[in-house]
Amino acid sequence: MPSKSIVAAALLLRLAAAQQSVWGQCGGIGYTGPTTCAAGSYCSTLNPYYSQCLPGAASTTTTSSTTTRSTTLSTTTTRTTVTEGTTKTSTRTTTASTTTASTTTATAISCASNTPPAGAGNVQYAGINIAGFDFGCTTDGTCTGLVSAPPTQQFQHFKSDGFNTFRIPIGWQSLTPQLGGSLSGLISQYDSTLQQCLQTGAYCIIDIHNYARWNGGIVGQGGPTDDQLVSLWTQLAQKYASQQKVWFGIMNEPHDVNIQTWAATVQKVVTAIRNAGAKTQNILLPGNNYASAGAFISSGSADALLPIKNPDGTTTGLIFDIHKYLDSDNSGTHVECVTDNIDSAFRPLSYWLRCKGRQAILSETGGGNVQSCVTYMNQQLTFLNQNSDVYLGYVGWGAGSFGASYELTETPNADGSDTLLVKQALIPQFHP
């Protein structure tokens, strides 16, 4: 029979393990983590969706904390697109259960008020994903090279709609056919497309569409090395350092990664981009779980990515990259929409962003060209507009080389008119 001292020690260990660290979330609608705060802090209810462990009564010290989180993800998603004789199939099948230890340094931030400032009301950026260079890339990071270069006249078409931001995805293998090699492959054609985007005066996002992978291997986690991804981004940053309207989307939809290891990889890329001369352009930081806005906090992505800094120690231009679809399983594979994502994703995330003094951009969102999606998309984008101090904008998915048969097509119709969702939601919601 164990002694009383051993039993007491074991009980204390279990209690400590169940405690949230300072600055961590400790409550809110939908939250399932620890609700007791570590010694010296207390759980402060900021709103129905977010409670946070705050130090003392009014402490302003900088605190380092270590947390352990267990995350389980199991989803199956298939995206199939037919465009000009080309079929793009992307299957998401993941079952993962990982426990990772994270060390986060947080700076004291006042969260006494968590309402949008009076000036909020209109996001600054909105536009469309112009896809095609990413065709043939699947969620295991394999890219077949079966690309379909997008029609560049779409940039001017959507610019005339009032949009000012375009995201142009491309497979890593299309830019550097050899890992760690020099830019080659489709770089000339991609650059020509990017220049057409820039000529409209819009902001143009380079998006590496590889899911944190190369041919099945995870970057920095048994697959390509951090240095090989750094090499790619160093070359791109050097090439576009003088283009202030080029933004750098580090990676599309990482999934099933060790988030702390991935955050360390992202930090190396950020440092490399800045040191390559791109000092001021926005860099988009993606989290785990396919960059889902709804899982950004609960998956540990928020805590892991928060400490990433520029070489000068600031976070200027470091924007969290989030995605959210409106169908039944957030897969973007169904025509009908069933949610506006506000209470499940954007409201709680807005509280966290405001508490931390940070911003995010919704670089992928979409739905079918049906009335349910028009309704829910308008509600979602209205909320982003109302919270434009923390949400910079939205980019619809997708146009470019997508054909009329694609469930979420935003490619202009044959007569030059816009699709229903673009015309009745994406355009009218953007009034910067």
Side-chain angles (χ1 to χ4, degrees):
M1 181 176 180
S3 68
K4 291 182 178 179
S5 61
I6 294 176
V7 172
L11 179 59
L12 287 173
L13 286 173
R14 286 198 296 271
L15 289 173
Q19 290 181 336
Q20 181 58 282
S21 57
V22 179
W23 304 113
Q25 185 177 3
C26 55
I29 295 174
Y31 175 72
T32 59
T35 57
T36 302
C37 296
S41 62
Y42 67 99
C43 188
S44 174
T45 300
L46 306 176
N47 47 65
Y49 297 88
Y50 195 78
S51 298
Q52 185 179 37
C53 290
L54 301 180
S59 173
T60 57
T61 57
T62 299
T63 305
S64 294
S65 60
T66 301
T67 63
T68 301
R69 175 176 292 102
S70 178
T71 302
T72 301
L73 170 67
S74 180
T75 59
T76 300
T77 300
T78 301
R79 289 186 185 180
T80 302
T81 308
V82 179
T83 168
E84 299 181 0
T86 299
T87 300
K88 178 192 176 188
T89 302
S90 180
T91 302
R92 299 179 178 180
T93 303
T94 61
T95 301
S97 180
T98 59
T99 300
T100 60
S102 64
T103 302
T104 303
T105 301
T107 303
I109 297 172
S110 173
C111 296
S113 175
N114 209 322
T115 57
N122 302 299
V123 297
Q124 299 177 52
Y125 308 101
I128 306 291
N129 279 271
I130 306 297
F133 285 115
D134 57 309
F135 283 12
C137 293
T138 55
T139 57
D140 68 351
T142 298
C143 295
T144 64
L146 298 176
V147 304
S148 179
T152 56
Q153 65 267 27
Q154 287 186 20
F155 293 119
Q156 189 56 56
H157 171 93
F158 289 120
K159 189 65 166 57
S160 67
D161 284 337
F163 293 124
N164 65 357
T165 307
F166 299 104
R167 182 170 177 258
I168 311 171
I170 188 169
W172 185 352
Q173 292 90 329
S174 293
L175 293 175
T176 58
Q178 298 297 320
L179 271 174
S182 300
L183 291 174
S184 56
L186 293 176
I187 184 58
S188 177
Q189 191 174 8
Y190 184 79
D191 177 66
S192 177
T193 299
L194 191 66
Q195 296 303 325
Q196 291 291 317
C197 175
L198 291 169
Q199 285 177 21
T200 68
Y203 295 87
C204 308
I205 304 170
I206 300 173
D207 162 50
I208 304 302
H209 214 76
N210 278 68
Y211 306 89
R213 286 158 167 77
W214 172 293
N215 296 343
I218 301 175
V219 180
Q221 301 178 39
T225 65
D226 288 348
D227 287 345
Q228 288 168 331
L229 183 60
V230 163
S231 173
L232 169 69
W233 276 111
T234 297
Q235 294 177 74
L236 288 171
Q238 290 171 340
K239 186 175 182 66
Y240 298 108
S242 63
Q243 301 283 356
Q244 294 304 305
K245 290 194 171 183
V246 171
W247 294 0
F248 305 112
I250 289 178
M251 184 63 64
N252 176 71
E253 296 190 349
H255 64 89
D256 298 282
V257 300
N258 179 305
I259 189 58
Q260 287 299 317
T261 305
W262 172 245
T265 300
V266 173
Q267 176 65 78
K268 292 178 184 178
V269 173
V270 167
T271 300
I273 289 173
R274 296 303 191 214
N275 288 341
K279 303 294 187 182
T280 59
Q281 294 97 322
N282 282 346
I283 302 176
L284 309 189
L285 314 181
N288 208 352
N289 295 59
Y290 297 96
S292 170
F296 189 75
I297 297 172
S298 62
S299 68
S301 296
D303 286 342
L305 297 176
L306 183 65
I308 292 175
K309 299 286 195 301
N310 293 311
D312 63 3
T314 69
T315 57
T316 304
L318 304 184
I319 309 301
F320 297 121
D321 190 1
I322 54 175
H323 292 179
K324 204 75 176 80
Y325 288 89
L326 298 89
D327 54 1
S328 58
D329 57 1
N330 186 42
S331 66
T333 61
H334 305 96
V335 172
E336 293 290 340
C337 296
V338 300
T339 177
D340 58 18
N341 295 309
I342 293 173
D343 287 342
S344 63
F346 293 110
R347 194 188 310 278
L349 181 54
S350 73
Y351 295 144
W352 184 88
L353 290 166
R354 199 166 288 118
C355 281
K356 303 300 182 182
R358 300 296 296 273
Q359 294 176 313
I361 187 167
L362 181 60
S363 68
E364 271 192 35
T365 190
N369 290 291
V370 294
Q371 189 56 49
S372 66
C373 294
V374 169
T375 298
Y376 284 119
M377 181 65 78
N378 272 295
Q379 292 171 1
Q380 174 179 283
L381 300 185
T382 294
F383 184 84
L384 264 61
N385 275 318
Q386 292 169 344
N387 292 268
S388 60
D389 58 315
V390 293
Y391 293 119
L392 286 180
Y394 57 87
V395 189
W397 182 274
S401 295
F402 283 121
S405 62
Y406 176 44
E407 295 94 334
L408 308 189
T409 188
E410 294 175 358
T411 299
N413 297 315
D415 63 2
S417 63
D418 283 304
T419 57
L420 181 70
L421 191 67
V422 171
K423 181 169 57 179
Q424 295 191 12
L426 301 186
I427 292 175
Q429 285 291 339
F430 186 48
H431 33 79

